Structures are given as structure tokens and as C-alpha cells.
Amino acid sequence: MGRDTIADILTSIRNADMNRRGRVRLVSTNITENIAKILLREGFIENVRKHQEGKKSFLVLTLRPRRNRKGTYRTFLNLKRISRPGLRIYANYQQIPRILGGMGIVILSTSRGIMTDREARLEGIGGEILCYIW
């Protein structure tokens, strides 16, 4: 039985966020690199660095600290896996959901690569809904 790499990525980021660790180390694949680039571009993480040990390469993500009302720093990300290996969820560009009225993002796997919901709507293409992030 295969592994769900996207769920592993999201779970690693979520666990690091809950334990208030500033960094996450992920195995580098094309999917993880594309998702990390989207998270960096949308401002959910602070930095992405590629690290190599022997023949294996890793991505080191630095999570963005956020300030809550009392002034202490705390990170908080909400990541939800939608499409999974047992149940794939597809949507055309008109059916792509809006998360928190546009405050969150939907990551899609399209025929033109992995992109956000805004980019997919602009290009007029749909695809598999991978996850929600807000």
C-alpha cells in the first residue's frame, strides 16, 4: 500500500505548528517543492531551504510566527486534506470553493501543475482539490 505524501506534508507542518517548533524538515519531491513554493508565496511560511545529506535531499521550512492578542508569538496554521487516495475530489474552475471568503487558499493539482484557487480561476481550469489552508 502506498503512502499519501501530501497528507504527510500537511501533518508534519501541523505538528510543528502545534508544538511551536519553528522549522519543519520534509523529504524533497516535486510535489513538496511546489506546495512549499505556494506556501511561501502566499505568506504562510517564512523561508524554504533545500538541504542535502548524502544522496537524499530535504526541504527545511521555517514557519512564520504570528502575534496573538496578548503579545506573545504563536504560530497557527489550519491545513485540511481534501482529496485522498481512496476518494479523489475534482472541481472545474466554477466549482472551486472559496475558503473564508477568499482569506484562505485552496491548492489544486491541474493539468498545468500545482496552483492556488485564484490562479486556476484566472486561467479557467479545474483539477483535483488537494487541500485547504487558512
Side-chain angles (χ1 to χ4, degrees), residues 47-116:
N47 191 13
V48 177
R49 184 170 53 95
K50 198 165 188 176
H51 178 70
Q52 190 156 354
E53 291 180 8
K55 293 182 180 180
K56 293 185 179 182
S57 59
F58 298 96
L59 289 176
V60 179
L61 308 179
T62 305
L63 300 179
R64 182 175 296 278
R66 302 196 185 183
R67 194 179 280 269
N68 67 6
R69 292 182 184 169
K70 297 193 179 193
T72 59
Y73 280 93
R74 195 181 79 122
T75 59
F76 55 95
L77 279 173
N78 292 312
L79 305 134
K80 185 175 181 183
R81 175 80 160 120
I82 302 302
S83 185
R84 51 191 171 90
L87 180 63
R88 303 287 186 184
I89 306 294
Y90 297 95
N92 63 17
Y93 76 98
Q94 297 166 339
Q95 296 173 337
I96 298 172
R98 295 186 192 275
I99 306 303
L100 294 177
M103 295 296 291
I105 63 170
V106 177
I107 296 181
L108 297 157
S109 176
T110 66
S111 59
R112 296 184 191 158
I114 295 177
M115 61 179 65
T116 64

